[in-house]
Amino acid sequence: MLTIHNLKVRVDGKTILNGLDLEVRPGEVHAIMGPNGSGKSTLANVIAGRDGYEVTSGTITYQGRDLLGLAPEERARQGVFLAFQYPVEIPGVANVYLLKEALNAVRTSRGESELDAMDFLKRVREKLQLLEMKEEFLYRSVNEGFSGGEKKRNEIFQMAILEPKLAILDETDSGLDIDALKVVANGINALRSPDRGIVLVTHYQRLLDYVVPDHVHVLAGGQVVRSGNRSLAVELEERGYGWIENHAADAVRAEAG
Amino acid sequence: MSRSAAATEAYLAAHQALASMLPAAGTPWLDHRRSSARDQFRELGFPTLRDEQWKYTNVRSIIRQAFTLPPAESGWMDKGQVDAAAVPGMDTYRLVFADGILVPQLSRCDDLPKGVTVTGLADMLRTDPGRLEGELGELLGEPTHGFNAMNSAFVCDGAFVEIGPGVVVDRPIELLFISATGGEGRLALPRNLVLLRAGSQATLHERYVSASPARCLTSAVSEVLIEDDAKLHLERLQEESERSFHIGGLFAEVGRNACFTTNAVTLGGALVRNDLVVNLNEEGAEARLNGLYVVGGRQHVDNHTQVFHNSPRTTSHERYKGILNGHARAVFRGHIRVQPDAQQTDAVQNNHNLLLSPDAEVDTMPQLEIYADDVKCAHGASVGQLDKDAIFYLRSRGVAEAEARHMLTRGFMADVLDELEPLPLRQYLQHRIDRLMSAAREAT
């Protein structure tokens, strides 16, 4: 459903992604790991369509369409969801209001009717339960005054409501204590399904103890330098990123030479 | 002669011609008040940019033209206009004024609770002037600029509201001021006196709308006394046409453990100046002062607020927010003064502005003057644009860019709008603002 080919991206004139390839099929969970500065968040943001990322070459194809040609809201309506590393606080806009707008935008673009108030509330309550959140939360402003953990939980809650086809989770595990991590992981696992692709962007393999990925990729120097299964994440945990970075540097030298 | 002096002279001449015909002329205390106000007006004239309090608001466009008071019997009685201005779903006691003069036939105050007086000021002056002696003009004190002095020199009509001790009024009292009911160049000088006796509670709406796009000047003064343990919610809504001029003054005094909430909403007007002066005179007095201005085109709105903490344990929470489109310009000056013995004062003042156009401009000047040492005071001001990260966040959830901007703009003003009472008024204003915003978007 998602094919990234030879993607090169510059931010402020500096090359961050340098020929990245990735293939995600429906039903798969991929983990993208890598040291700080390796380009993990850049990848997540480019897929979601954030401004300020200059794609200098390569393609991103999503369900057979050129994703890069779509506005961020179009991508969302086609089923792409980004769980933010730093969810934004939006004073004065109630969570429930955003959810309704977002869900209706997605449904309308699929040619479905807007959910009536009863069905909407039913779905919302069900997902609140999944994420162990109180109903009063719906009427608070989006992320305003939330703790780091609450913000991350809210991202997964929104994802659960919107039921995307492709979910990119950018460092959703960072800043979570172990209990919150379990709740969030539980929410993610509930969304695993044969027609949905999930990409977990993470620095640590901690989350992967709870959400077991089908594929693990290691990003360094703006490229996928290693791909493997769950055991690659465990290896990284034991050996750190140093050996990968050396490996990447060797590769760059080899290419230059 | 300067233009300002020439304009002052023109109004003084009108005053001389009208003085003997003003309501209750010949009542000694009132004659004295009017003539001393006239003398102050002559001395003060109209403000200029040299006046620190008017540094960013040029009234040249107002004094270029001579506005005239409506004839004694204008006969204006357009019920359709009143119905059109009504807030859906809100039942009120209502006084209607046409260019500042009461229209009894359109007013609706017959079933007021016991102990409540809501009537025209002119009627009150004619029938029972003694009841106003020692009240009218007391809270305004010495006029600080020509507009207030002019209003006091003429004192013709407006609302007189008195809520007796302990009375809780069941519905909002609405003062609907309709300007431009008789073509170009009308002058309206509403003068309102509102007295909340000890322990009483009321909600009051002071609304200014236009009957036509004719260019008119409203210079209004409201004096509001809130006695011990009383509670007043006062909503001031400026919805006049974009060609109108409006100078409004609100002078309030708050007693022991009394609470004054006011929300000043400015949507209309070519040039609008709102002066707000609040004296917290007794222990436990509290003021919640909010403002919202949503302006575009070439509108100019200036909010000047002054809060005096004169006693210990007094509280003022002030929050003004502005949204500017087009070439609009806003001025905010907030002055808080904590007097030497006003210990344990709690004062917060904020002014936040959202510029939706590169051509809009804001001057904001928070000012704290503190002479007591055991106080909690804070202030903040900001001028900014919509948060790009927030726009992206909403778009990433499927919300179209225009809708995302709209949501954020609504969110920006939500906390001020939420203060308005009752709910139907909030909904009415939200709807009006939504329409203004979409018109502004189409204009760009």
Side-chain angles (χ1 to χ4, degrees):
Chain A
M1 69 186 336
L2 180 73
T3 307
I4 299 177
H5 177 63
N6 191 31
L7 186 67
K8 294 188 180 176
V9 174
R10 278 202 304 214
V11 180
D12 295 330
K14 194 174 162 225
T15 298
I16 304 293
L17 295 183
N18 194 17
L20 182 137
D21 295 295
L22 184 70
E23 172 84 42
V24 179
R25 280 172 290 266
E28 292 179 348
V29 174
H30 289 245
I32 310 267
M33 303 186 69
N36 291 327
S38 60
K40 303 189 300 290
S41 283
T42 295
L43 175 62
N45 283 311
V46 168
I47 294 172
R50 190 193 280 269
D51 276 349
Y53 296 85
E54 189 196 347
V55 176
T56 53
S57 77
T59 55
I60 304 181
T61 312
Y62 168 71
Q63 294 189 318
R65 292 183 64 174
D66 170 22
L67 190 70
L68 295 171
L70 301 177
E73 57 266 38
E74 266 313 309
R75 299 181 195 197
R77 291 170 191 176
Q78 303 283 330
V80 177
F81 181 91
L82 171 66
F84 281 52
Q85 182 180 7
Y86 302 108
V88 184
E89 297 196 12
I90 307 186
V93 176
N95 268 306
V96 68
Y97 180 61
L98 169 58
L99 288 172
K100 204 172 211 165
E101 289 290 317
L103 185 60
N104 284 335
V106 170
R107 289 179 67 92
T108 308
S109 81
R110 281 191 213 139
E112 295 168 7
S113 64
E114 296 192 352
L115 272 191
D116 70 38
M118 288 296 290
D119 290 342
F120 173 70
L121 216 59
K122 195 171 155 242
R123 181 189 299 211
V124 162
R125 289 206 174 114
E126 199 182 291
K127 304 303 181 189
L128 278 173
Q129 221 163 24
L130 175 66
L131 274 305
E132 297 177 24
M133 293 159 80
K134 292 197 180 113
E135 190 158 334
E136 62 175 37
F137 157 87
L138 293 175
Y139 305 99
R140 288 171 63 186
S141 293
V142 177
N143 295 325
E144 192 187 24
F146 285 24
S147 70
E150 283 177 317
K151 285 180 182 171
K152 296 300 179 73
R153 202 181 285 207
N154 190 23
E155 295 295 287
I156 303 307
F157 173 62
Q158 290 179 13
M159 178 171 87
I161 298 280
L162 295 176
E163 296 181 336
K165 295 197 185 76
L166 174 67
I168 317 290
L169 280 63
D170 189 6
E171 309 255 357
T172 298
D173 52 335
S174 66
L176 293 182
D177 62 31
I178 191 70
D179 292 331
L181 182 71
K182 283 180 185 168
V183 172
V184 162
N186 194 23
I188 299 168
N189 283 326
L191 279 154
R192 290 184 86 146
S193 93
D195 56 2
R196 181 170 294 132
I198 297 177
V199 178
L200 307 169
V201 172
T202 180
H203 185 84
Y204 304 100
Q205 75 94 38
R206 194 171 70 134
L207 175 67
L208 309 182
D209 288 340
Y210 301 95
V211 183
V212 179
D214 303 303
H215 302 274
V216 174
H217 311 278
V218 182
L219 210 58
Q223 291 176 325
V224 173
V225 292
R226 285 276 298 267
S227 291
N229 58 19
R230 166 97 177 85
S231 61
L232 176 57
V234 177
E235 193 181 351
L236 281 170
E237 182 79 355
E238 282 164 4
R239 298 178 60 185
Y241 284 112
W243 61 281
I244 293 283
E245 280 173 316
N246 293 337
H247 179 92
D250 289 346
V252 169
R253 269 195 298 277
E255 196 180 315
Chain B
M1 200 187 297
S2 74
R3 184 174 271 157
S4 171
T8 309
E9 281 308 318
Y11 288 109
L12 284 169
H15 186 266
Q16 194 170 2
L18 276 172
S20 64
M21 287 176 279
L22 292 170
T27 308
W29 67 265
L30 184 60
D31 285 353
H32 175 71
R33 285 232 179 242
R34 282 183 176 137
S35 60
S36 59
R38 178 203 58 206
D39 295 343
Q40 281 155 345
F41 176 45
R42 179 177 287 134
E43 200 174 305
L44 289 165
F46 289 107
T48 67
L49 297 182
R50 282 191 299 275
D51 183 339
E52 180 62 24
Q53 300 300 316
W54 292 80
K55 199 171 162 186
Y56 300 98
T57 296
N58 194 337
V59 301
R60 196 177 52 208
S61 55
I62 298 182
I63 61 178
R64 186 182 290 150
Q65 169 179 7
F67 294 89
T68 53
L69 284 166
E73 300 294 329
S74 85
W76 184 88
M77 217 176 56
D78 187 342
K79 187 164 181 307
Q81 295 269 9
V82 176
D83 293 342
V87 172
M90 191 176 73
D91 199 13
T92 60
Y93 301 110
R94 177 195 285 155
L95 292 182
V96 176
F97 299 84
D99 292 304
I101 308 297
L102 182 70
V103 187
Q105 297 89 335
L106 296 176
S107 300
R108 188 184 60 196
C109 284
D110 36 355
D111 51 348
L112 283 164
K114 212 166 168 284
V116 178
T117 307
V118 178
T119 186
L121 187 77
D123 283 346
M124 203 64 205
L125 285 169
R126 285 193 199 98
T127 56
D128 193 3
R131 198 160 151 196
L132 301 178
E133 188 178 1
E135 307 274 16
L136 188 67
E138 281 301 303
L139 298 187
L140 169 60
E142 289 262 303
T144 51
H145 55 70
F147 291 102
N148 290 339
M150 179 165 80
N151 181 295
S152 296
F154 283 92
V155 177
C156 23
D157 206 351
F160 173 71
V161 176
E162 183 170 18
I163 317 295
V167 176
V168 178
V169 186
D170 57 331
R171 293 174 229 165
I173 298 164
E174 182 180 17
L175 310 177
L176 182 61
F177 295 94
I178 305 181
S179 60
T181 64
E184 291 281 319
R186 279 281 175 86
L187 172 66
L189 298 174
R191 178 64 174 243
N192 305 311
L193 180 61
V194 177
L195 307 171
L196 267 85
R197 299 307 182 189
S200 65
Q201 293 182 24
T203 297
L204 190 71
H205 294 170
E206 211 181 298
R207 296 182 59 202
Y208 295 89
V209 303
S210 297
S212 74
R215 172 156 284 166
C216 292
L217 168 62
T218 298
S219 174
V221 170
S222 296
E223 294 175 285
V224 175
L225 175 69
I226 302 148
E227 292 187 346
D228 296 354
D229 303 307
K231 277 197 170 78
L232 176 67
H233 217 109
L234 172 56
E235 316 296 11
R236 305 173 75 215
L237 313 180
Q238 156 58 258
E239 305 171 64
E240 289 175 301
S241 84
E242 270 195 45
R243 295 188 66 229
S244 62
F245 299 125
H246 185 102
I247 313 289
L250 170 58
F251 303 86
E253 203 173 287
V254 188
R256 185 177 302 267
N257 297 326
C259 181
F260 176 43
T261 303
T262 186
N263 300 298
V265 179
T266 302
L267 307 180
L271 190 160
V272 176
R273 161 80 170 218
N274 298 313
D275 283 305
L276 172 61
V277 179
V278 178
N279 274 283
L280 300 168
N281 282 351
E282 304 286 342
E283 276 200 54
E286 182 183 349
R288 302 174 60 85
L289 315 170
N290 301 300
L292 175 66
Y293 37 97
V294 182
V295 285
R298 301 216 167 250
Q299 287 179 281
H300 179 112
V301 55
D302 178 349
N303 281 290
H304 260 59
T305 69
Q306 286 175 279
V307 182
F308 296 92
H309 289 262
N310 300 323
S311 275
R313 283 175 283 285
T314 47
T315 304
S316 69
H317 285 183
E318 181 173 2
R319 182 172 43 189
Y320 272 66
K321 285 194 167 178
I323 298 173
L324 289 88
N325 278 297
H327 289 78
R329 180 142 187 219
V331 182
F332 174 83
R333 186 191 292 264
H335 181 201
I336 295 173
R337 186 185 171 108
V338 181
Q339 305 288 22
D341 56 349
Q343 299 297 356
Q344 291 171 40
T345 281
D346 174 0
V348 184
Q349 182 197 77
N350 283 298
N351 173 235
H352 298 296
N353 297 279
L354 183 57
L355 300 184
L356 297 180
S357 145
D359 302 314
E361 197 181 323
V362 172
D363 292 288
T364 177
M365 291 147 286
Q367 240 179 317
L368 287 178
E369 218 182 322
I370 302 171
Y371 298 102
D373 48 18
D374 177 19
V375 300
K376 204 170 90 187
C377 292
H379 68 79
S382 68
V383 180
Q385 281 119 40
L386 288 175
D387 178 4
K388 281 198 177 77
D389 288 338
I391 293 173
F392 175 65
Y393 187 77
L394 294 176
R395 292 179 75 190
S396 79
R397 298 300 180 250
V399 178
E401 186 174 1
E403 181 57 28
R405 289 175 178 277
H406 181 64
M407 277 170 80
L408 293 174
T409 307
R410 276 184 119 176
F412 173 78
M413 62 184 149
D415 55 349
V416 176
L417 217 50
D418 282 347
E419 296 284 328
L420 285 144
E421 288 294 341
L423 180 66
L425 183 69
R426 237 175 280 164
Q427 293 166 332
Y428 162 83
L429 278 172
Q430 182 69 69
H431 182 67
R432 288 243 8 197
I433 292 168
D434 285 350
R435 271 171 40 201
L436 282 175
M437 300 297 302
S438 65
R441 268 198 302 275
E442 272 158 34
T444 53

